[in-house]
C-alpha cells in the first residue's frame, strides 16, 4: 500500500516522522474524501471485540487541520475504538495537503475488501480528477487492468436508484452491468424493481434485459417499414368513400366499417333494403 501511495502522492514516507502518539478519540474527524459510505455495524462490532482483546496493532493515520485531527487512514479502527469508549487511540501524524489526503484515503480503502462497486467507482473517478490521470495510467499505478477501471466507472452512468441498490447490496455488479445495455432509464428502473422483487439471479436479469431489447427492436420495425400506398390504391379507396357519401346524400342510412390491415383495406358495407 505504501508503494501505491508514493506513486500517486509523490511523497516519500520513509523520510517522514513515523512515531506513534496517543490522540484523543473525540479530537478526530472523518475524512470528507472517505469513499466508504456504508459501514457495516456488525463488522465494526466484531472489530471492536478484537481490538478490546488484542489492542490496535496498526495505528491510524491523521493530519492536523483547524485545531483537530483529520483521518487519512483507519476509520473503521477509529469507529471501533469510539464504540469501546476509549479516550485515546494510537496514531501517526502526517503532513499532507488536501489532494494528498484525499488520495491517501481513497487508496487506503481501495486496497481493502468490502467497498461496494459504486464506492469503488467513485474512488476511481475522484483519483482521476485529483491527478488529471487517464484510465490507463490510473490502472497502471494501481496495478489493475484498464477494463476493470472502465467497467467500474460505467456504473456511475446508471440511475441513482440503481446505484443505491448497489450501495445497499440489493443487487450485484453483474446485475447492474446488465442494465447498462438498456438505454431507457424508465426501463432500467422497471427491471431493477422486478429483479429485487422476484430475486432474479444474474442470468435471469440478463435474459430479461435481452427480451426487453428484442421487444423494443420489434416495436420499431412497423414504423420503419411502413409501406407507402400506390396511386392506384389511393384512387380505389377514395372512390369507395366518395360513392358511400353519394349514397348517403340520397337519404339512405348506409353502414360502413373500414379497417386498414397490413396487406389490404377492408370495407364492410350494409345497405338497407327498405328506407328507415
Amino acid at each position: 500500500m505504501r508503494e501505491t501511495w508514493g506513486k500517486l502522492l509523490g511523497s516519500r514516507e520513509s523520510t517522514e516522522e513515523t512515531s506513534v502518539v496517543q490522540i484523543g478519540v473525540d479530537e478526530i474527524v472523518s475524512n470528507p474524501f472517505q469513499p466508504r459510505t456504508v459501514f457495516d455495524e456488525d463488522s465494526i462490532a466484531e472489530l471492536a471485540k478484537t481490538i478490546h482483546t488484542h489492542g490496535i496493532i496498526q495505528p491510524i493515520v491523521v493530519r492536523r487541520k483547524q485545531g483537530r485531527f483529520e483521518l487519512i487512514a483507519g476509520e473503521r479502527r477509529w469507529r471501533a475504538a469510539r464504540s469501546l469508549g476509549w479516550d485515546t487511540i494510537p496514531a501517526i501524524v502526517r503532513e499532507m495537503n488536501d489532494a494528498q489526503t484525499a488520495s491517501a484515503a481513497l487508496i487506503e480503502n481501495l486496497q481493502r475488501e468490502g467497498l461496494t462497486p459504486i464506492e469503488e467507482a467513485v474512488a476511481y473517478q475522484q483519483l482521476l480528477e485529483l491527478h488529471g490521470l487517464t484510465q490507463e495510467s490510473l490502472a497502471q499505478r494501481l496495478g489493475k487492468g484498464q477494463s476493470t477501471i472502465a467497467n467500474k466507472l460505467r456504473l456511475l452512468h446508471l440511475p441513482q436508484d440503481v446505484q443505491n441498490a448497489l450501495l445497499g447490496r440489493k443487487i450485484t455488479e453483474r446485475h447492474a452491468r446488465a442494465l447498462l445495455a438498456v438505454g431507457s432509464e424508465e426501463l432500467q428502473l422497471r427491471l431493477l424493481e422486478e429483479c429485487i422483487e422476484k430475486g432474479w439471479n444474474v442470468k435471469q436479469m440478463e435474459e430479461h434485459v435481452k427480451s426487453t431489447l428484442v421487444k423494443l427492436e420489434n416495436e420499431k420495425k412497423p414504423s420503419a417499414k411502413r409501406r407507402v400506398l400506390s396511386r392506384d390504391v389511393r384512387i380505389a379507396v377514395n372512390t369507395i368513400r366518395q360513392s358511400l357519401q353519394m349514397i348517403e346524400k340520397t337519404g339512405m342510412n348506409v353502414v360502413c366499417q373500414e379497417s386498414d390491415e397490413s396487406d389490404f383495406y377492408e370495407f364492410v358495407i350494409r345497405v338497407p333494403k327498405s328506407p328507415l
Side-chain angles (χ1 to χ4, degrees), residues 2 10 32 34 43 45 52 62 68 80 118 126 128 133 148 150 156 163 177 199 222 224 230-231 238 244:
R2 290 185 176 181
Q34 165 65 252
S43 176
H52 180 71
V62 299
R68 308 193 77 181
I118 286 296
Q126 289 180 329
L128 290 172
L133 300 173
T148 299
L156 299 179
Q163 295 187 36
R177 285 170 61 181
S230 68
R231 180 174 179 275
N238 289 333
L244 291 172

Side-chain angles (χ1 to χ4, degrees), residues 174-242:
R174 289 182 62 193
H175 282 97
R177 285 170 61 181
L179 287 174
L180 285 167
V182 182
S184 166
E185 181 173 321
E186 179 182 354
L187 289 176
Q188 287 174 332
L189 295 177
R190 188 186 305 169
L191 287 168
L192 170 69
E193 185 178 352
E194 284 192 69
C195 174
I196 295 175
E197 181 180 341
K198 298 177 182 178
W200 292 344
N201 57 32
V202 173
K203 184 177 180 180
Q204 288 172 315
M205 172 66 95
E206 291 172 343
E207 289 174 348
H208 280 85
V209 166
K210 183 178 180 180
S211 64
T212 298
L213 293 175
V214 170
K215 183 179 178 181
L216 288 174
E217 186 63 28
N218 289 336
E219 288 175 352
K220 293 178 182 178
K221 288 181 180 179
S223 59
K225 294 185 176 181
R226 184 177 296 171
R227 293 179 301 174
V228 178
L229 293 177
S230 68
R231 180 174 179 275
D232 291 340
V233 173
R234 292 200 304 272
I235 291 174
V237 170
N238 289 333
T239 300
I240 295 173
R241 290 171 179 167
Q242 290 170 3

Side-chain angles (χ1 to χ4, degrees), residues 3-275:
E3 182 181 354
T4 306
W5 279 24
K7 289 181 179 179
L8 280 168
L9 307 183
S11 63
R12 297 181 179 178
E13 292 188 281
S14 59
T15 63
E16 296 182 2
E17 179 62 43
T18 58
S19 60
V20 178
V21 296
Q22 292 291 329
I23 294 177
V25 171
D26 293 335
E27 296 180 59
I28 300 170
V29 295
S30 183
N31 189 322
F33 289 95
Q34 165 65 252
R36 192 185 300 272
T37 58
V38 179
F39 288 88
D40 186 340
E41 294 302 325
D42 291 337
S43 176
I44 297 294
E46 290 179 6
L47 179 59
K49 290 180 181 178
T50 301
I51 289 176
H52 180 71
T53 302
H54 303 286
I56 293 181
I57 299 174
Q58 182 180 2
I60 64 172
V61 182
V62 299
R63 69 164 178 164
R64 292 183 179 86
K65 187 173 183 181
Q66 297 176 349
R68 308 193 77 181
F69 293 94
E70 183 179 271
L71 271 170
I72 296 174
E75 180 148 353
R76 292 180 70 255
R77 280 163 279 161
W78 170 60
R79 286 174 178 256
R82 191 170 58 179
S83 72
L84 291 170
W86 284 15
D87 294 325
T88 62
I89 186 172
I92 296 174
V93 181
R94 298 288 190 200
E95 294 297 329
M96 290 186 177
N97 58 33
D98 288 346
Q100 291 172 328
T101 300
S103 296
L106 295 168
I107 295 299
E108 193 264 347
N109 277 278
L110 286 171
Q111 298 297 326
R112 298 178 182 276
E113 296 181 358
L115 283 184
T116 65
I118 286 296
E119 290 171 330
E120 194 172 343
V122 170
Y124 291 146
Q125 185 63 48
Q126 289 180 329
L127 285 170
L128 290 172
E129 294 172 356
L130 279 168
H131 300 282
L133 300 173
T134 64
Q135 291 182 21
E136 183 178 3
S137 59
L138 178 62
Q140 290 176 349
R141 297 187 187 202
L142 295 178
K144 296 181 180 290
Q146 183 181 355
S147 61
T148 299
I149 304 292
N151 285 333
K152 287 290 191 302
L153 291 174
R154 289 178 66 210
L155 299 175
L156 299 179
H157 296 298
L158 288 166
Q160 191 58 51
D161 285 350
V162 179
Q163 295 187 36
N164 289 340
L166 271 172
L167 280 170
R169 303 183 190 279
K170 295 179 180 178
I171 60 173
T172 68
E173 180 179 351
R174 289 182 62 193
H175 282 97
R177 285 170 61 181
L179 287 174
L180 285 167
V182 182
S184 166
E185 181 173 321
E186 179 182 354
L187 289 176
Q188 287 174 332
L189 295 177
R190 188 186 305 169
L191 287 168
L192 170 69
E193 185 178 352
E194 284 192 69
C195 174
I196 295 175
E197 181 180 341
K198 298 177 182 178
W200 292 344
N201 57 32
V202 173
K203 184 177 180 180
Q204 288 172 315
M205 172 66 95
E206 291 172 343
E207 289 174 348
H208 280 85
V209 166
K210 183 178 180 180
S211 64
T212 298
L213 293 175
V214 170
K215 183 179 178 181
L216 288 174
E217 186 63 28
N218 289 336
E219 288 175 352
K220 293 178 182 178
K221 288 181 180 179
S223 59
K225 294 185 176 181
R226 184 177 296 171
R227 293 179 301 174
V228 178
L229 293 177
S230 68
R231 180 174 179 275
D232 291 340
V233 173
R234 292 200 304 272
I235 291 174
V237 170
N238 289 333
T239 300
I240 295 173
R241 290 171 179 167
Q242 290 170 3
S243 299
L244 291 172
Q245 290 174 359
M246 292 176 63
I247 296 174
E248 288 176 345
K249 287 180 181 179
T250 66
M252 298 186 69
N253 188 15
V254 179
V255 178
C256 177
Q257 293 179 336
E258 179 182 338
S259 61
D260 181 0
E261 304 298 334
S262 59
D263 295 326
F264 56 85
Y265 269 99
E266 183 178 62
F267 292 87
V268 178
I269 303 171
R270 294 182 181 178
V271 181
K273 292 182 178 181
S274 58

